[in-house]
Amino acid sequence: MKEKKGVKNIYKFFITLSAVVAFVVISLFGAVVLQSKKAVLEKSVGSFKMLSVREVFENNFKDVKVQVGVFSNPRITGLDEMKNVYTLEIQKNGDIKLFINGAAVQMPVDQQYAEWYKNALLNFIKNNPPEDYKTTKPDIIFEHMKDYNEEYVVDNDKEYIVLKGRSDTDDIEMWFLFKRVNNKLKFFVDRVFTNGTELSGFKKTAFLASIYQVEKKTLKMNLIDIVKSSKLVDFPDVELSSVFDNLKNVRWTVKDEDKNLVECTAVNEVGNAEESIDIGFKLREDGYVDLEYFYLNGTELKENEVYSKIRSIYKQFGKFDEKQYVQDIIEKIKASKIPEKDKTIGDFLEETKNLYEFVWNHSFVGRNTEVILKGSSKSANRNFEIRFLFAKGELYISKSYLNGKEFKPSELFVQLEKTEGEQVVQNVGDNNVDNNLRYIELVKNSSIVSNSQYKTNLSAFKSFLSNPVWSYNEKNKRVILTGSGKYGGKSWNFKFVFEIPVPNKVLLEYAYANNIEMVDEVRDYVISKVFKVSKIGENLSTLVRNTVFKKKTYGEILGTKGWTIDRTNDLVVYSNGKLRVLFFVQPNGAVNVSDFYYAGKRYSKEAMDLLLVGEQGNGVLAIQKALEQRDQISAKKLNKTSTPTSIQSEVTSTEELPEVLIDEPLKNDSQDSDEWMDDSQSSDEVISKEYNEEQEEQEEQQEQQEQQEEQQEEQHEKPSPYQF
């Protein structure tokens, strides 16, 4: 008996031991499997080698979570600002699948992942300073560079983000190189271009130091070299060293480290004589230098004398081509718009056939350049003269004459268009021109917006408009600014009218785009873009919400929450996570539905019908129900047909999420809605066809299953996808 009992105990022991061992083995196996699947998310995908999948998500989304299971594929999820859920799943064969709110992404997977990857690198730049630099505000580069665009570039197996944009004075291109250092991601500013010219050495250091913080000791050690490789604003293509190192006995010294002031002393040979010069160059934040002082033979020169001497020295060493310099200004004049007209001066001179004998002259007025255009008119033998002042990179019409009498610039161009026999209007007094310039300068140097990074109207509008032209309308006592700028992805001819109701008080009275007066909401939004103060333009979304579709407002149809402004594309956006509707507001306040998405699919052609469903039903719920019913019908059709062709047709029936096109926005007018439908079928015909097919299916089910009468009525009354 004891032996049998002992055998049983041993048997139980081995069974228990086997169970424990099996449990431990399975647990270890499961842990290994889970760890190996989790490790997959720590690897890169395809050619995108610098970041792992996890890093791509962490630099794109919030609330990133890793999901791994023994019998499921590893997944990683994240949320955007609108609470949309983005998911990446790695298949057993290494392929990836992407989902947005549970729906598979329809655009090519590589294309979507490439966009996330690029944004991850870009966000890394926004949240971290480059190596060797430090700053409390890493994204300051995006304030320094206006209207930038980014590009992901692979060159010689090196990965870059290339930023291209414009500062207040220059076109800028920066190449950010990404590297792994001790398995940590870091980036470096590899290349910098200003106005198409690559900066190198100390010039590059000075440029970056003006944006980011750099060790002050390092900057001062190189201060002389940085200044020597810098340029004067008036000679943006010429380094100081290429001119002043040609002088005799030249010596460079640091005059004031705290002010970044360097002095150049030298001897200049002029004919048989020699003259001593002492020039103070002050390094600016943007990498250029200013002339702080200029002593000639111990006597300090006045400003007009300084630039006359500087031009002489540059010309002496072949660094100033006066003829080309003036020709460049003439080309800028020709490309500028006539005051209060939508035509360039160059086009006016070419198209006005009764004008001839054009003569261009110039003279230097201190730092500035005056260019004079003289010509004749075949009508009544009129002679005209227009004086342009080029100062600090800006063009002004300082004076204009017709037959020796001074006219306002806008009136002069009107008179030049007139033919023989037409009356010449009374000229304006000479003192008015000085007042005109004074009013223009007052508007330029004031600011209509407080709390902006721009301190003056001049600097703000210069960053927004190309070829800005300032003028004064004496009749209406208004300062007028014209130029072209971007709104909604296309170029518009803008006109801003400023009022000076009391001395030193400037107000924006009107704003126009392509000669269309902007409503207050659009005007405020454009001004918010000009001055980079987003709060000013928030009423644009209110305008859209309060706009009536047919009978109800968009706010009543879609709800009052979930409205934002896409400032990149200048669109008002409604989104509730699944439903996304994009609106574009015309300058006159007209609202166009620009695009329509649901669960990642595009329904541009059906947008008006779907909004009508929402208006006649219970808003968003009615729209969602209509789309879900449509999908159910599509699924039933797929089940009936087994050919691959029909399946592919359904799958690709909606388009990829493209960039929004503003040039051809969807219209609100019901009579135009057939533009978005198939030529062979109207929307009602499609709806009717879908409804009839559904009824046939229901009748078959009723006969086969012998359902109760109430069920039959319920099935019969089931609405069609777009039943109103």
Side-chain angles (χ1 to χ4, degrees):
M1 293 292 291
K2 290 183 178 180
E3 290 181 359
K4 289 183 178 180
K5 189 175 182 180
V7 171
K8 286 183 179 180
N9 290 337
I10 294 174
Y11 180 71
K12 289 181 180 180
F13 170 76
F14 278 109
I15 290 176
T16 303
L17 180 62
S18 299
V20 171
V21 170
F23 176 78
V24 171
V25 169
I26 292 172
S27 299
L28 290 174
F29 174 76
V32 170
V33 170
L34 292 177
Q35 191 62 33
S36 64
K37 288 188 175 184
K38 191 174 182 180
V40 172
L41 299 173
E42 300 296 329
K43 297 180 180 180
S44 60
V45 172
S47 60
F48 307 104
K49 300 177 180 177
M50 193 56 58
L51 299 180
S52 67
V53 172
R54 177 184 56 79
E55 289 172 322
V56 169
F57 264 65
E58 287 179 346
N59 285 282
N60 263 296
F61 308 115
K62 302 184 302 181
D63 298 332
V64 176
K65 297 178 181 178
V66 173
Q67 302 172 355
V68 292
V70 176
F71 303 106
S72 61
N73 293 325
R75 286 187 164 207
I76 186 168
T77 63
L79 305 178
D80 64 11
E81 297 294 334
M82 299 302 299
K83 304 298 183 182
N84 291 308
V85 181
Y86 297 83
T87 304
L88 181 146
E89 179 181 307
I90 300 182
Q91 308 295 300
K92 292 181 180 180
N93 60 0
D95 292 342
I96 62 174
K97 282 189 175 182
L98 305 178
F99 303 86
I100 300 178
N101 295 325
V105 173
Q106 293 186 340
M107 71 171 61
V109 171
D110 288 347
Q111 181 181 338
Q112 178 65 78
Y113 189 78
E115 186 68 20
W116 291 352
Y117 189 84
K118 180 190 74 173
N119 290 339
L121 293 177
L122 186 65
N123 289 332
F124 192 81
I125 294 174
K126 291 180 179 179
N127 296 321
N128 301 277
E131 283 300 293
D132 303 327
Y133 294 87
K134 59 181 182 179
T135 178
T136 56
K137 194 174 183 182
D139 62 351
I140 192 171
I141 181 61
F142 299 95
E143 295 180 5
H144 184 81
M145 191 182 297
K146 312 299 185 303
D147 298 325
Y148 69 88
N149 59 71
E150 70 279 350
E151 182 182 2
Y152 170 69
V153 175
V154 178
D155 186 21
N156 291 328
D157 291 329
K158 295 180 180 179
E159 297 186 30
Y160 298 89
I161 287 291
V162 180
L163 291 183
K164 295 180 181 179
R166 181 168 180 81
S167 68
D168 289 336
T169 56
D170 301 293
D171 292 322
I172 298 174
E173 180 178 327
M174 300 180 68
W175 288 59
F176 296 92
L177 171 64
F178 290 84
K179 292 183 178 180
R180 285 281 179 182
V181 180
N182 296 327
N183 204 32
K184 290 185 178 180
L185 182 66
K186 297 182 181 295
F187 73 97
F188 304 78
V189 183
D190 192 51
R191 307 177 73 184
V192 176
F193 298 81
T194 59
N195 300 319
T197 302
E198 184 170 7
L199 306 184
S200 59
F202 302 116
K203 181 70 175 180
K204 175 184 169 185
T205 303
F207 175 84
L208 294 175
S210 69
I211 302 173
Y212 300 103
Q213 297 176 14
V214 67
E215 290 294 336
K216 204 167 185 181
K217 181 179 178 182
T218 302
L219 180 60
K220 288 182 177 179
M221 287 174 59
N222 300 324
L223 186 58
I224 290 176
D225 294 310
I226 292 172
V227 168
K228 288 176 65 176
S229 63
S230 298
K231 305 165 187 175
L232 292 168
V233 175
D234 302 271
F235 301 92
D237 300 322
V238 184
E239 293 186 357
L240 296 184
S241 60
S242 67
V243 176
F244 295 97
D245 278 348
N246 294 318
L247 300 171
K248 288 180 61 178
N249 303 329
V250 63
R251 184 162 58 93
W252 299 83
T253 57
V254 176
K255 193 72 173 178
D256 191 325
E257 287 186 345
D258 292 330
K259 293 183 178 180
N260 292 332
L261 183 62
V262 171
E263 183 177 81
C264 174
T265 59
V267 174
N268 186 29
E269 293 181 337
V270 182
N272 296 325
E274 291 186 343
E275 54 188 21
S276 65
I277 60 174
D278 301 272
I279 310 174
F281 295 106
K282 183 178 180 180
L283 182 65
R284 298 184 356 175
E285 289 186 353
D286 59 4
Y288 286 101
V289 291
D290 284 331
L291 287 168
E292 192 75 359
Y293 56 81
F294 193 124
Y295 285 87
L296 182 65
N297 295 324
T299 302
E300 186 173 8
L301 301 181
K302 297 179 181 179
E303 183 178 358
N304 61 331
E305 298 173 324
V306 167
Y307 284 94
S308 176
K309 192 62 183 176
I310 287 291
R311 278 191 289 267
S312 174
I313 294 174
Y314 273 65
K315 198 171 184 178
Q316 177 182 341
F317 295 108
K319 301 300 181 180
F320 177 54
D321 186 339
E322 184 173 338
K323 183 178 179 180
Q324 185 60 49
Y325 172 77
V326 174
Q327 185 59 42
D328 290 342
I329 297 177
I330 291 174
E331 293 304 318
K332 289 182 180 180
I333 292 172
K334 290 181 177 180
S336 299
K337 295 286 183 65
I338 294 174
E340 302 182 36
K341 287 183 177 289
D342 189 22
K343 180 182 287 189
T344 65
I345 293 174
D347 289 341
F348 179 87
L349 297 176
E350 183 178 346
E351 296 172 6
T352 309
K353 301 301 181 183
N354 61 325
L355 301 181
Y356 68 109
E357 293 184 352
F358 302 128
V359 178
W360 296 88
N361 294 312
H362 75 279
S363 63
F364 295 109
V365 185
R367 180 177 182 176
N368 306 325
T369 305
E370 185 178 55
V371 176
I372 305 168
L373 169 63
K374 293 183 178 181
S376 301
S377 171
K378 296 177 182 178
S379 302
N381 295 319
R382 300 173 188 169
N383 297 316
F384 67 90
E385 177 181 318
I386 308 174
R387 294 175 175 264
F388 301 91
L389 186 66
F390 186 65
K392 298 180 180 179
E394 295 286 331
L395 269 174
Y396 306 85
I397 299 179
S398 58
K399 294 180 183 293
S400 54
Y401 302 90
L402 185 61
N403 291 337
K405 296 180 180 180
E406 187 171 353
F407 279 77
K408 294 185 299 180
S410 58
E411 185 59 38
L412 174 69
F413 285 103
V414 171
Q415 294 298 320
L416 291 178
E417 286 182 312
K418 292 184 177 182
T419 58
E420 186 173 358
E422 291 188 84
Q423 183 70 27
V424 178
V425 300
Q426 180 66 31
N427 63 82
V428 300
D430 292 346
N431 61 325
N432 288 344
V433 176
D434 292 336
N435 285 333
N436 295 353
L437 290 177
R438 180 169 62 85
Y439 291 137
I440 291 174
E441 288 302 311
L442 173 61
V443 174
K444 281 185 173 183
N445 295 321
S446 62
S447 178
I448 59 174
V449 173
S450 59
N451 302 322
S452 170
Q453 66 189 62
Y454 300 108
K455 303 306 179 185
T456 65
N457 294 325
L458 174 63
S459 59
F461 282 100
K462 187 176 180 181
S463 70
F464 180 73
L465 297 175
S466 59
N467 299 321
V469 175
W470 297 83
S471 61
Y472 183 72
N473 186 316
E474 189 171 356
K475 180 180 179 180
N476 297 320
K477 307 297 183 186
R478 299 293 188 269
V479 173
I480 298 172
L481 168 63
T482 59
S484 59
K486 291 292 184 67
Y487 172 59
K490 73 180 237 182
S491 182
W492 299 76
N493 292 319
F494 287 100
K495 177 181 176 181
F496 300 92
V497 181
F498 299 90
E499 178 188 12
I500 308 175
V502 295
N504 300 322
K505 178 68 174 179
V506 176
L507 299 175
L508 178 63
E509 187 175 21
Y510 302 108
Y512 301 84
N514 290 356
N515 294 322
I516 302 170
E517 184 178 351
M518 300 183 207
V519 296
D520 291 347
E521 292 84 354
V522 177
R523 180 197 63 193
D524 292 346
Y525 176 77
V526 170
I527 292 300
S528 77
K529 286 173 64 70
V530 173
F531 285 87
K532 308 294 186 186
V533 180
S534 59
K535 189 174 182 180
I536 299 174
E538 290 178 353
N539 284 337
L540 192 68
S541 64
T542 304
L543 182 149
V544 175
R545 289 201 306 271
N546 294 334
T547 297
V548 176
F549 174 58
K550 299 293 182 183
K551 296 180 181 179
K552 294 182 181 179
T553 65
Y554 289 112
E556 290 173 326
I557 297 171
L558 301 174
T560 57
K561 296 182 179 180
W563 293 87
T564 58
I565 297 178
D566 176 0
R567 292 186 168 272
T568 302
N569 298 302
D570 301 325
L571 299 172
V572 174
V573 181
Y574 168 79
S575 177
N576 67 357
K578 273 194 170 184
L579 180 63
R580 179 177 169 87
V581 188
L582 285 66
F583 300 87
F584 176 67
V585 184
Q586 298 286 351
N588 62 1
V591 175
N592 299 122
V593 180
S594 180
D595 235 324
F596 196 106
Y597 300 95
Y598 183 74
K601 296 180 181 180
R602 190 182 187 194
Y603 296 91
S604 301
K605 295 181 179 181
E606 301 93 332
M608 294 304 156
D609 290 334
L610 290 168
L611 286 169
L612 190 59
V613 168
E615 185 177 61
Q616 296 182 348
N618 56 344
V620 172
L621 293 176
I623 294 173
Q624 292 178 334
K625 185 176 181 181
L627 288 167
E628 289 168 359
Q629 289 174 348
R630 166 188 159 139
D631 290 342
Q632 290 172 3
I633 292 174
S634 298
K636 290 178 181 178
K637 292 178 182 178
L638 286 176
N639 291 333
K640 282 186 173 184
T641 58
S642 58
T643 58
T645 304
S646 62
I647 295 176
Q648 181 65 20
S649 175
E650 281 296 327
V651 171
T652 59
S653 62
T654 53
E655 301 173 36
E656 300 173 2
L657 290 177
E659 294 182 1
V660 178
L661 298 177
I662 305 303
D663 290 337
E664 298 181 1
L666 300 180
K667 302 178 182 178
N668 284 348
D669 298 333
S670 60
Q671 62 266 32
D672 295 331
S673 63
D674 58 346
E675 295 179 10
W676 310 307
M677 300 178 187
D678 188 276
D679 293 336
S680 62
Q681 286 184 310
S682 68
S683 177
D684 291 337
E685 290 172 338
V686 172
I687 294 168
S688 177
K689 182 178 179 181
E690 292 175 346
Y691 182 82
N692 291 335
E693 290 178 353
E694 183 186 15
Q695 297 304 314
E696 291 176 1
E697 293 176 10
Q698 291 172 355
E699 290 174 1
E700 292 177 2
Q701 292 174 0
Q702 289 167 4
E703 293 176 359
Q704 293 174 0
Q705 299 177 8
E706 297 181 352
Q707 295 179 346
Q708 297 296 324
E709 183 177 349
E710 291 181 357
Q711 287 179 305
Q712 293 172 353
E713 291 177 355
E714 180 181 352
Q715 290 287 339
H716 183 72
E717 293 175 358
K718 186 178 179 182
S720 66
Y722 296 147
Q723 185 173 342
F724 302 147

